[in-house]
Amino acid sequence: MSRTRFTRAVYAAVRRIPPGTVATYGQIAAAVGHPRAARAVGTALARLPRHLANQVPWHRVVGASGISARDDPERAATQREKLIDEGVAVTAGGRIRRDRSR
DNA sequence: GGTCTGACATATT
DNA sequence: GAATATGCCAGAC
């Protein structure tokens, strides 16, 4: 199975994100001990299994410029709506207000 | 087991 | 702010 220690650490870190708050991939990567592995965080979440998607608030993880979702625009829309539903201020461009991130 | 791809970041121009 | 270049790590083939 592909879920490595790193991946599990990422899931754990994402789970620790407080509601109504978003974290960047860089922050997650740094949280698991790999400040330069933002990309790995992306792939790990991209291959996030459904059963884990239920317990991991992946929608709280955004890119440095907000929601990225270069692979699936639908995902971006879902993520944006979920964030808005949680009270996160997401602009029309998919960017997050600085007081909610960082 | 080597290579390509990718939900990225940071620095520089 | 946008475009370009480089580094980083894990997953899929």
Side-chain angles (χ1 to χ4, degrees), chain A residues 21-40:
Chain A
T21 310
V22 294
T24 66
Y25 295 96
Q27 279 187 319
I28 301 297
V32 300
H34 291 267
R36 307 284 143 77
R39 227 167 155 170

Side-chain angles (χ1 to χ4, degrees), chain A residues 38-91:
Chain A
R39 227 167 155 170
V41 176
T43 48
L45 289 179
R47 299 298 161 186
L48 180 71
R50 281 198 303 263
H51 58 89
L52 283 183
N54 193 26
Q55 37 188 319
V56 178
W58 57 268
H59 53 265
R60 289 182 196 150
V61 185
V62 297
S65 305
I67 299 172
S68 39
R70 46 172 57 185
D71 198 44
D72 269 308
E74 286 184 38
R75 212 164 284 217
T78 305
Q79 182 173 16
R80 188 168 68 90
E81 288 189 34
K82 286 192 175 195
L83 289 179
I84 295 176
D85 188 58
E86 287 192 0
V88 180
V90 184
T91 69

Side-chain angles (χ1 to χ4, degrees), chain A residues 2-17 28 32 41 43-49 51-53 55-58:
Chain A
S2 356
R3 272 89 241 182
T4 62
R5 224 178 349 50
F6 180 86
T7 310
R8 274 183 280 163
V10 170
Y11 295 159
V14 175
R15 250 187 257 120
R16 284 183 221 126
I17 302 177
I28 301 297
V32 300
V41 176
T43 48
L45 289 179
R47 299 298 161 186
L48 180 71
H51 58 89
L52 283 183
Q55 37 188 319
V56 178
W58 57 268

